[in-house]
Amino acid sequence: MARFLHTKQLPGLERGTWRRLVLFCCAMAGFIYFLKAQLHQRAAGEKPFVTYLSTASGKKVDPLINVTSWGAPIVWGDREESQLRRMEFADKGVTTGLAVFVIGKYSHYLQKFIVSAERYFLEGQAVTYYILTDNLRGIPNLSLRTGRKLKALYIAERPEWVHLSRTRMSLLSSSIKEFIKNEVDYLFCMDVDQVFINRVGAEILGDLVATFHPVYFNRPHYTFPYETTLDSKAYVEDSEGDYYYTSELYGGLCSEIYELALLCSQFIIQDMEMSYHAFLFEESYLNRFFINKRPSRILSPEYSWWDAPETSNIQVKRILSLQRGCFQDSESKGANCYST
Ligand code: UDP
Ligand code: MN
């Protein structure tokens, strides 16, 4: 048998030619594999790899992912990718809206919010602040940098937290439709009880942008507080969901945020028809939305953080939540150190 294998030749081709042919096929297969990998990485926009942060003592802490399984970049402001993104947007001339609700007693957060945004939010870029408020006279008179505007949109609203958590998405979608959509390219929505403490640049701009919740970042999927009531429009099955996102900051192209706000408001209205409101209010519906339509870019907890034992251990903090964590001011609603 061995002798047969050694001596067998197909008609017309010598053994040396066969060997070369096999080698050529292997080389071609390798080349095609390499090309496919390159194309995949290009489609993902960034090279998938994991890095580790070091603490001051040099001890390695949480592993930091740079890209999701579906190719969405995860934004860490000091990384090279973010620098490149800022350079890319430096001369593009895009306009970004920043929308916040300021109803009732939350007006006392507004000045601090705008002053810190003027210092750190999209520095050097055109920004329009949209203040959705029930109190036009409560808007502070602040001088803004060149290219930056503030527009107050009056909304007659009851200053009750639970009521607002049911109506904000529909108020947002109608404000985008009526006023905002023709004025800006991108729109970001934030809670007003936050403050910028570090640079937040064009690295955040993307088609549909979510932000990791600082408590659930790097935590296992089974800990995510998705909605568990089967009949709710926010319901998430155990097999669904990639990450848990915060409702304190999300954004993207104005058209995308319109779709987000409209769909979330429809979910909320449908749940209200059966007298139900999801466990974590808007955040539950937002997380459902981001399962149906995955974000194209995700901001790391640098962009939503508060000081508490439960939040992830990160080096740079850019946006702080004032009502959560251990630095609450005397006027905030809760008395304890941490709340979700
Ligand atoms: N908000 C408001 N008035 C209220 C309650 C809420 O203007 O009476 C707005 C405000 O922008 C606030 C956001 O809705 O930041 C979300 O509410 P909150 O910060 O209390 O929610 P949490 O961060 O606790 O989920
Ligand atoms: Mn808040």
Side-chain angles (χ1 to χ4, degrees), residues 7 14 29 48 73 86 99 125 138 192 210 225:
T7 54
E14 290 184 6
R86 286 193 286 271
Q125 304 240 3
V192 75

Side-chain angles (χ1 to χ4, degrees), residues 41-183:
Q41 281 186 5
R42 198 164 291 180
E46 284 184 26
K47 288 185 181 145
F49 60 92
V50 170
T51 51
Y52 291 84
L53 271 186
S54 302
T55 58
S57 64
K59 197 177 129 229
K60 281 180 178 175
V61 291
D62 296 343
L64 303 181
I65 45 170
N66 285 335
V67 69
T68 65
S69 61
W70 64 96
I74 292 165
V75 180
W76 302 90
D78 288 341
R79 292 192 62 87
E80 198 188 333
E81 293 84 352
S82 295
Q83 276 171 32
L84 293 173
R85 189 88 177 157
R86 286 193 286 271
M87 278 158 63
E88 187 189 326
F89 275 92
D91 313 315
K92 266 199 173 166
V94 300
T95 303
T96 304
L98 182 56
V100 283
F101 280 90
V102 182
I103 308 290
K105 69 183 173 100
Y106 278 64
S107 59
H108 81 272
Y109 288 110
L110 185 58
Q111 177 148 349
K112 206 169 177 181
F113 178 84
I114 304 278
V115 168
S116 69
E118 277 297 278
R119 183 157 175 209
Y120 294 117
F121 183 70
L122 291 176
E123 200 189 330
Q125 304 240 3
V127 169
T128 304
Y129 300 100
Y130 293 100
I131 316 297
L132 287 79
T133 185
D134 61 342
N135 177 13
L136 292 175
R137 277 183 295 172
I139 309 259
N141 191 11
L142 299 167
S143 64
L144 304 176
R145 293 191 195 206
T146 323
R148 301 174 71 110
K149 295 179 209 158
L150 188 149
K151 291 196 174 177
L153 307 179
Y154 178 73
I155 45 174
E157 265 310 319
R158 303 208 307 265
E160 292 145 32
W161 195 88
V162 174
H163 170 78
L164 273 174
S165 74
R166 291 185 175 130
T167 48
R168 269 185 306 235
M169 281 294 183
S170 77
L171 290 166
L172 180 64
S173 71
S174 48
S175 302
I176 298 174
K177 194 175 172 191
E178 284 172 44
F179 306 102
I180 304 176
K181 81 169 192 289
N182 298 322
E183 299 184 352

Side-chain angles (χ1 to χ4, degrees), residues 106 191-194 248 321 323-324:
Y106 278 64
D191 276 15
V192 75
D193 57 338
Q194 297 185 95
E248 294 205 289
S321 301
Q323 283 201 93
R324 305 179 182 201

Side-chain angles (χ1 to χ4, degrees), residues 262-332:
L262 190 66
L263 263 160
C264 286
S265 66
Q266 286 167 357
F267 291 159
I268 292 168
I269 289 163
Q270 285 171 43
D271 272 7
M272 276 165 69
E273 279 165 10
M274 54 167 206
S275 304
Y276 189 75
H277 198 41
F279 166 58
L280 283 174
F281 312 102
E282 271 162 349
E283 200 165 83
S284 301
Y285 297 98
L286 190 69
N287 273 279
R288 179 66 253 178
F289 178 87
F290 282 133
I291 292 172
N292 297 1
K293 188 166 190 176
R294 281 166 155 167
S296 66
R297 177 166 285 263
I298 305 179
L299 307 183
S300 68
E302 290 179 357
Y303 299 86
S304 179
W305 197 81
W306 62 88
D307 185 18
E310 293 83 357
T311 50
S312 46
N313 189 6
I314 52 161
Q315 281 188 321
V316 183
K317 289 103 195 175
R318 299 176 190 278
I319 299 175
L320 293 183
S321 301
L322 296 177
Q323 283 201 93
R324 305 179 182 201
C326 302
F327 35 71
Q328 291 180 328
D329 60 15
S330 55
E331 290 176 80
S332 61

